[in-house]
Amino acid sequence: MSPEQMETLEQTSFSMVTQALTDYASQAVSIFKEEVDQPQDIAEDVTREAIELMGLPQIHMRLYGKVDIKKAVYVFLPEAIPVALMLDAKAEKPSGSGTATIQMSQTSMRVKMWRQGEVIDETGKLPSFIQRDGRSLYVVTVFAKYIYDVIDNAHVLKRIIAACLPNGLLQDRYNPSANDTIWRVGRNAPTLGEDFRVRISFADLRSKASWRVQDIQIPLTNPDF
């Protein structure tokens, strides 16, 4: 698959996910407000329910990976393209709305960036495509970030930010070098032996392709919020 075809495949897949999140936004607001679970658990449940409610054209195949939701689906361009859709949900307070922390097992890109005066070149552990049952499923990775506050002991959903992380086949377009990057230093401590993590910068990703970061419109059920 050419870079142009991969870009189109990701954009089409991402539009389905963002539409599912938009359609489910009202329910998401209510669920966050009413549930007593941890916000991260609520975010995972809301994302899963939104995708299931849309009813994507699924391929009956089990996928593996360290993301919250893994689905084998068809995306039509107009021919049917098998896609391994990887979705990860995150919940954070407003101070963390500019980035999303990812593990190297959640990306097929190489992470090229500067850290503490040294060039980092870390290989992603997620493949660009998955061979299964005679099919090649191209990996599309999406993060849904739920920004919430706590008001009167309730979780109040403020924003939903969706971001489509580029497939490793698009490395040269999005992160060709440490000086041309979409990454920020992750929340891990190498001195403590913690696994390497990195943060995707929404602003830098949007500057490369505006469609890759979307703010999902949510209704304001209470103007005081």
Side-chain angles (χ1 to χ4, degrees):
M1 178 172 286
S2 70
E4 290 75 17
Q5 290 171 319
M6 190 69 231
E7 189 94 15
T8 300
L9 179 61
E10 287 187 319
Q11 186 170 9
T12 304
S13 303
F14 186 50
S15 69
M16 295 192 301
V17 174
T18 55
Q19 187 61 56
L21 294 174
T22 299
D23 292 345
Y24 203 68
S26 294
Q27 292 95 318
V29 171
S30 298
I31 293 169
F32 263 83
K33 183 179 178 181
E34 296 167 3
E35 287 287 344
V36 296
D37 291 340
Q38 292 297 316
Q40 180 60 38
D41 295 332
I42 299 172
E44 293 174 15
D45 289 343
V46 165
T47 304
R48 183 174 292 104
E49 291 164 11
I51 296 300
E52 290 177 352
L53 188 64
M54 172 168 270
L56 298 176
Q58 296 190 47
I59 303 171
H60 296 291
M61 181 184 301
R62 186 174 180 83
L63 297 177
Y64 302 90
K66 291 188 177 181
V67 295
D68 298 322
I69 301 165
K70 302 167 284 289
K71 286 188 177 294
V73 301
Y74 283 116
V75 175
F76 297 93
L77 294 179
E79 69 278 15
I81 306 295
V83 166
L85 185 59
M86 305 287 182
L87 294 115
D88 203 66
K90 300 178 183 297
E92 286 193 30
K93 296 289 186 66
S95 59
S97 61
T99 62
T101 300
I102 70 168
Q103 304 172 47
M104 295 308 294
S105 57
Q106 295 176 327
T107 180
S108 58
M109 295 187 73
R110 299 182 71 89
V111 171
K112 301 179 181 182
M113 60 182 290
W114 287 89
R115 179 170 182 165
Q116 297 179 337
E118 296 184 357
V119 172
I120 299 293
D121 188 344
E122 193 81 13
T123 303
K125 298 179 181 178
L126 187 67
S128 297
F129 60 91
I130 297 170
Q131 293 279 7
R132 188 72 54 80
D133 298 339
R135 295 187 180 98
S136 293
L137 290 86
Y138 289 92
V139 175
V140 175
T141 305
V142 175
F143 292 91
K145 188 162 189 176
Y146 298 81
I147 308 301
Y148 73 95
D149 243 330
V150 178
I151 301 176
D152 295 332
N153 295 320
H155 298 120
V156 179
L157 185 60
K158 295 288 191 177
R159 298 173 65 192
I160 304 174
I161 304 170
C164 184
L165 192 64
N167 185 284
L169 296 175
L170 299 172
Q171 183 76 46
D172 290 342
R173 292 189 176 192
Y174 289 92
N175 183 208
S177 70
N179 294 320
D180 187 357
T181 188
I182 54 177
W183 309 107
R184 292 290 180 269
V185 174
R187 297 172 180 145
N188 68 295
T191 57
L192 299 178
E194 294 180 348
D195 289 341
F196 181 81
R197 285 181 292 174
V198 71
R199 289 181 296 157
I200 181 73
S201 166
F202 294 148
D204 290 340
L205 181 58
R206 184 182 271 127
S207 72
K208 295 279 189 179
S210 59
W211 66 264
R212 284 190 178 271
V213 181
Q214 297 292 325
D215 276 287
I216 307 301
Q217 296 298 314
I218 61 173
L220 295 177
T221 56
N222 188 330
D224 293 334
F225 290 166

